[in-house]
Amino acid sequence: MSIFLKDFLADYQSTQINDEVLGILHAFLNGTADETGWLFEREIKACKLDYTLASLKRIDAMLDRIRESQTLDRETFLVNRKPENSHFLVLLAFYCGEMRGRLAGVAPIWQAYESYIAENPEMQNIFPAIDEYRFVATYHRADNINQHFPLVAILERLFPEFDEPEKSVYFSTITGDYQAFAPDEVVPPAFQSLPFDLQAACQNLSAHWQSYLQILPPKWMLGDDLMSQIKAIPTLYQKGRVVWGALVQANTMLFEEDNPASCPAEIIYDKSGRTPPRLLREIASELFSLKDKTPSHLTPQLKQYAAHLKNESTRFKGSLNFPNVEYIQLHASTVFVWRPHLPDAMLTLPIFPIVINDDNDDVMILPAKFWAHTEYYQKWLEISECASQEIVPMWANLSADEAKHFWQDYQELVVPQAEELPQFGKPNDDNPPTISSDDTRFLKCCQNKAQQEYRRWYEFFEIQTDDPELAEDLAKSKLPENLYKQLRTINLAPFLDDLKREINVSRLPNAKPLPKVATTLSQNLSPLQTAKLVQFLHTHGNTSLSKLLQNERQVGEPERPSTINTTATLALALMYLTGKNVPQSIEEGIGWLNYAADLGDSRALRWRAELVLQAPEITSKLFEQQLNKDFLPASIHLMNKGNISVFDIQEAEKSYPKERGAQLALVRQCLEMAWQVGDSVAQKRLQALIADGTLPQKDENRFTHIQFWVIDYLLRHKNQDYTYLIDKNKQYEQLGDIIADDNDYETDEPPAWHKWAKWAVAMVVIFGIKTCVSDWRASEPKPTPVAEPTVSGSLKTQTTPTAAPATTAHSQTAENIGNNAVSLSDAVFVLQQKLPKTAFTGHHEIEAVHFDNQLVTVKIKDKGRGMMSIQAANGLYCREPLFDGLRVANAVVIFDVHAQGDLRYEISDVHCQ
């Protein structure tokens, strides 16, 4: 029979009597048995039931002594059915059956005689309804099924048909490789699993399903404790066994239809596989109830687990002792739920098959493909309100090329790698698709959601558009191919040397050298070696949001040292910038480089300088955030003071990092900043560059600040006369002494930029004064946002509530704030009063804006199809007048876009470029 025809979820289910067996044995062996009494209790305890072979011989000897010393009548003993008599026989029968299971290496499934005959009526003639067959233990192996009736030998030993008993408890119980155990050696417990061979099932698939079995962990998980589950997936596929798991709680997004986000959940399971799903579900419900009310009598362990459930951002993994079921090998675990591995991509039912490993506590949900043929899978879909999201037929209808390249450009991140999966034994099907491409939309949404977590998505994702203007803008926003080539050929020596060098930064105590990594980066690696290296670097060079929240400092508490090894962070930056063994992604590489810089690693500043010197075309992208921050306030004031086109200003801004003088000024700036924080390597490098003439002794004034450059550019390159700006600001000429010492002013005919220099400096000063006043205004009582904290990668729903203005002494209105909305809360409030409103593009409707935790989320309805690129989003943000206030306030903006075809996605870090 094919492995995909047998309903393994319905076969060999654990029974209710299993609970009784394990409960009785646990209670007696731990001295917590009921007070009802046990016949020959002292003799049983003297037997020392310790799961050794010697204990079986002690039982034989005990029964012989009882038979010889007591006058027992079988009819009286069995027919009266006194509780103490029954307890005595039941205890011995269950112990012998369990001991046989341990020797056989498979735990028994216990049944009462009536239940066994009901399932196997043909066996009634062989096993009549007598006391010897009162209980049956069934042992399911891969190649055979065996039954054992332990009371047969026990009753024969007590009540032999002849003078001497013909049966021995010892010989009727031993089985398997019993000789491998010494007489006094404890035989380890046996487990029970659902009858499913995962390794054989993988071999029964074609390579078409390889990418389906792989997981692309979202970026928020990098550095998270949940990554141990991801790293364990290859072992689970190779050695795992299948048991039932029960849901305790989960991120509410996992219950939402048409939501492609994969999130964490809390589950419990019995590692022995012997607890029926019904009981697991009852225990899970009781555990969930502890979240809101934690009784004082709970054990410290359960109190810790209750606090974990309430926190919703911590992780838990390990055994859990629950009252009244201590005999269950109960385990609890925070797991990452990969939506494509659920039947309908939702947690529709609270019970599901999971894969566990006996060597550790890592688990994963069994991919739905492996149980799509079962009755339980059909029940799941019948109950589901979103059966249209059934993933398995969607994947089956992907073309061979689509399936093969599903994770293209993310190969080093997916788990498991192809080499870590069992070999696929079937050829690919060439059957034509049975559903349309539109019906696979949700699968593509899951793909895009997973990929969009990484910055490279904006670099690699191709947007199909019929708008020629948009297509032209997208083409212009693409990074030049020549830049990729430059980065692939840069001199790696100074970067690799930095990875080997000790650094001493108090706030980075874990920044240790990685000489082996540096050596490895000089080599060509296999895909599996690359994946292992990237996992290692993610573990040490990053941390998750959940950990940041756990370690968040209190108000007034000094800054805590970082736990990150920024050497690993820099290694990731180098790999992606140069494409060394990974898909080359400038976005990804700069993201890691900026991360190291933000954490205070001066090497990142030096790396920026080296990159500009070796690959000048990277300057615009490398300093994008810094230049935007410097440029935005001045550009807003320029537009307010004069009739200057925003497009002219943007043109000037974009031209700045392309000028060699500006590039060298930025190089000097980076090295000086690194030098100022004690980086002696930066000091020597700066002096060497000046000595060999690479850097001038002094930068040209027009390159020292982007604000100076913009006005100089406008005066040099635009036909329109911008000198009226200077005329309008003659009242600020008294501030000219600020730049009076500049030697460039001593010429008789100053260049064009000298005409506006005094005005520009004055504007900088005036802007600083206004900012101070604005900061003072912002310090006054402001409306308090009514918002719950949001936790990415936690069990909480990731939503951003709208900030609701509170009543203050002076009521806030859009009119009395007006253009003075320099504080972020003011800017958001003003914008909220104007919405909803159609943007200047005509096909984007700005529906709402939310403000929480210094993050601004703008909800946008896109009337077009497809997904907006980050370049298009930045363009919309920069050009739309409605966002003027947000830009002035340097807001951190997220676009929440709802496009045609029910496509929903987010674009983070939107800014004016």
Side-chain angles (χ1 to χ4, degrees), residues 652-664:
E653 180 201 8
K654 290 179 179 178
S655 68
Y656 176 77
K658 298 177 182 178
E659 292 287 331
R660 189 58 178 169
Q663 294 168 359
L664 296 178

Side-chain angles (χ1 to χ4, degrees), residues 569-768:
T569 312
L570 290 171
L572 286 166
L574 185 61
M575 289 180 70
Y576 285 107
L577 284 169
T578 61
K580 192 64 178 176
N581 294 307
V582 296
Q584 188 178 15
S585 169
I586 296 175
E587 291 277 3
E588 202 88 37
I590 291 178
W592 289 114
L593 188 61
N594 289 342
Y595 188 35
D598 292 342
L599 290 171
D601 194 324
S602 62
R603 291 175 296 179
L605 298 174
R606 284 195 280 110
W607 283 29
R608 286 176 177 170
E610 292 296 336
L611 287 168
V612 171
L613 291 173
Q614 295 197 47
E617 287 188 68
I618 199 175
T619 309
S620 299
K621 178 58 67 174
L622 189 60
F623 290 92
E624 185 177 46
Q625 292 183 7
Q626 176 184 329
L627 295 179
N628 283 338
K629 183 178 180 181
D630 293 343
F631 168 76
L632 188 58
S635 66
I636 296 296
H637 279 271
L638 284 173
M639 287 186 290
N640 288 338
K641 292 297 181 181
N643 184 25
I644 305 177
S645 166
V646 63
F647 300 108
D648 289 343
I649 294 178
Q650 286 179 346
E651 179 183 319
E653 180 201 8
K654 290 179 179 178
S655 68
Y656 176 77
K658 298 177 182 178
E659 292 287 331
R660 189 58 178 169
Q663 294 168 359
L664 296 178
L666 292 170
V667 168
R668 184 192 304 274
Q669 182 185 108
C670 288
L671 293 175
E672 287 179 344
M673 290 173 62
W675 181 6
Q676 289 169 7
V677 295
D679 191 326
S680 60
V681 178
Q683 176 188 1
K684 294 176 182 178
R685 182 60 171 154
L686 177 60
Q687 293 171 344
L689 290 173
I690 294 175
D692 65 17
T694 303
L695 289 182
Q697 290 291 334
K698 181 181 179 182
D699 295 319
E700 290 185 54
N701 285 332
R702 60 182 179 141
F703 294 128
T704 56
H705 198 285
I706 193 171
Q707 298 171 13
F708 294 166
W709 167 260
V710 169
I711 299 181
D712 180 72
Y713 182 90
L714 294 176
L715 292 173
R716 289 174 181 272
H717 295 85
K718 298 299 175 182
N719 293 327
Q720 185 174 349
D721 182 10
Y722 287 102
T723 55
Y724 69 90
L725 291 173
I726 303 171
D727 296 337
K728 288 171 63 177
N729 290 278
K730 284 184 177 179
Q731 63 267 36
Y732 300 121
E733 285 185 354
Q734 65 268 27
L735 297 176
D737 58 341
I738 296 176
I739 55 174
D741 294 332
D742 196 322
N743 294 330
D744 288 342
Y745 287 96
E746 296 177 1
T747 59
D748 294 332
E749 293 295 331
W753 77 275
H754 285 180
K755 298 179 182 179
W756 51 260
K758 294 181 181 181
W759 173 84
V761 173
M763 286 303 300
V764 172
V765 174
I766 295 301
F767 177 73

Side-chain angles (χ1 to χ4, degrees), residues 875-889:
L876 174 60
Y877 178 63
C878 189
R879 300 177 188 178
E880 174 54 52
L882 285 171
F883 297 140
D884 284 352
L886 297 182
R887 293 196 295 266
V888 171

